[in-house]
Amino acid sequence: MKQGLYVPNVGHYADPRRLAAYAVAAEASGWDGFFVWDHLLLETPTALPACDTWTALTAILARTRTLIAGPLVTPLARRRPAKVARETVTLDELSGGRLVLGVGLGADARGEFTAFGEPAGARARAERLDEGLAVLRALWTGEEHSHDGTHHHLDKVRFLPAPRHPIPVWTAATHGHARPLARAARHDGVILMVREPTGALRGPTPAELAHTLRALPPLERPDGFQVAVPGTLPADRPDEAAERLRAVQEQGGTWWLEAFDPWRRDPAELRRWIDQGPPLR
């Protein structure tokens, strides 16, 4: 199982130079991946500063050599697929194939859609996500395509260059929801979350992970399908942390993402995790 760090692009983490420096240090200490939130606006209860995730990823991938990196997740419903196609192919070339594209519906809990006049309903976001993914994959082929959909239109477009390396697409899904799991099975990986009754999100327990993976349509999944599990481990109890990671791996997890947020985990804690390296060597 690979091990990565999952950090915000807001609050105390909103400096792209520091994010790039963290990624360089994480690579040196043996971490496999460095993934960044993708928010334009985050208010809780007041607005937090933010940096542009895609610009930060450019710096991260330019300064590292082996680290896997990407946005987790970009709300494709508020993006134009042609722009995302151009960005991802450029980052694929820059990094030598180390980009992962994480996508999801996003949320409007803090006005990230409605504040900018974007449709915020869950059904509308899901439709835009699915159509956007179809357009994105068509553009990645480098072949001529036309598309006349509800939200996007292509008129005999041939987008060059095509990616030199297949760009993995991981889609966000929540425990107990069939449609996001079916969407994930059509792509290259899934980032699994559990939604609490309060609306808060967390990573699944090993038992929840096993239950959720049984619900994934197995015949549709491609070879090398990735299962990313975010969560928090006890830094001061390494044996307990390693035991939990082994349980996640036994239940089908292929990536552990040590998750940070701008409210409860500050950059000093991230730095300690970077310096001590991944729990499973």
Side-chain angles (χ1 to χ4, degrees):
M1 185 170 63
K2 295 185 181 297
Q3 298 161 88
L5 297 165
Y6 184 22
V7 302
N9 68 317
V10 297
H12 298 299
Y13 300 89
D15 184 337
R17 294 164 298 184
R18 291 179 70 183
L19 288 176
Y22 292 145
V24 170
E27 181 178 70
S29 64
W31 290 91
D32 300 299
F34 194 92
F35 301 94
V36 187
W37 296 10
D38 188 3
H39 283 285
L40 284 177
L41 176 73
L42 199 60
E43 296 188 9
T44 177
T46 58
L48 296 177
C51 71
D52 179 68
T53 295
W54 293 81
T55 306
L57 285 170
T58 301
I60 288 165
L61 290 168
R63 293 186 57 189
T64 55
R65 294 293 175 267
T66 62
L67 204 68
I68 305 298
L72 291 188
V73 297
T74 192
L76 200 59
R78 63 166 167 79
R79 300 295 312 276
R80 291 192 177 274
K83 182 70 168 97
V84 177
R86 184 61 70 215
E87 291 166 344
T88 50
V89 173
T90 301
L91 287 175
D92 168 71
E93 180 71 19
L94 175 72
S95 67
R98 292 183 289 118
L99 175 71
V100 165
L101 175 62
V103 299
L105 267 66
D108 194 49
R110 300 178 180 93
E112 197 158 15
F113 281 79
T114 53
F116 301 102
E118 299 283 353
R123 179 174 293 181
R125 284 182 281 127
E127 287 177 357
R128 286 174 177 268
L129 171 59
D130 288 329
E131 188 177 341
L133 281 168
V135 171
L136 184 63
R137 287 202 177 274
L139 292 172
W140 278 346
T141 66
E143 302 297 326
E144 184 181 285
H145 277 273
S146 294
H147 175 88
D148 190 17
T150 304
H151 305 287
H152 302 291
H153 180 81
L154 301 177
D155 185 10
K156 297 181 179 179
V157 173
R158 186 181 183 199
F159 223 59
L160 295 174
R164 290 196 189 190
H165 318 88
I167 299 173
V169 175
W170 298 356
T171 71
T174 48
H175 174 68
H177 290 77
R179 288 184 180 179
L181 290 172
R183 178 185 297 115
R186 296 193 296 269
H187 297 283
D188 308 295
V190 62
I191 311 106
L192 283 176
M193 304 292 287
V194 175
R195 188 174 296 280
E196 300 279 23
T198 61
L201 291 171
R202 62 170 174 83
T205 65
E208 289 168 336
L209 172 63
H211 181 268
T212 303
L213 290 182
R214 285 196 295 270
L216 269 171
L219 297 179
E220 297 179 22
R221 278 184 265 167
D223 292 340
F225 188 85
Q226 300 297 305
V227 177
V229 179
T232 58
L233 297 171
D236 57 346
R237 300 191 297 278
D239 290 343
E240 180 182 331
E243 182 180 355
R244 184 175 171 191
L245 289 183
R246 283 191 287 269
V248 169
Q249 185 174 22
E250 288 170 1
Q251 298 302 334
T254 64
W255 273 89
W256 173 261
L257 305 179
E258 184 64 24
F260 293 80
D261 66 48
W263 309 289
R264 293 172 294 273
R265 306 190 81 183
D266 62 27
E269 187 176 357
L270 171 60
R271 188 71 220 200
R272 288 193 294 273
W273 273 97
I274 289 172
D275 291 341
Q276 72 185 32
L280 287 182
R281 297 283 186 173

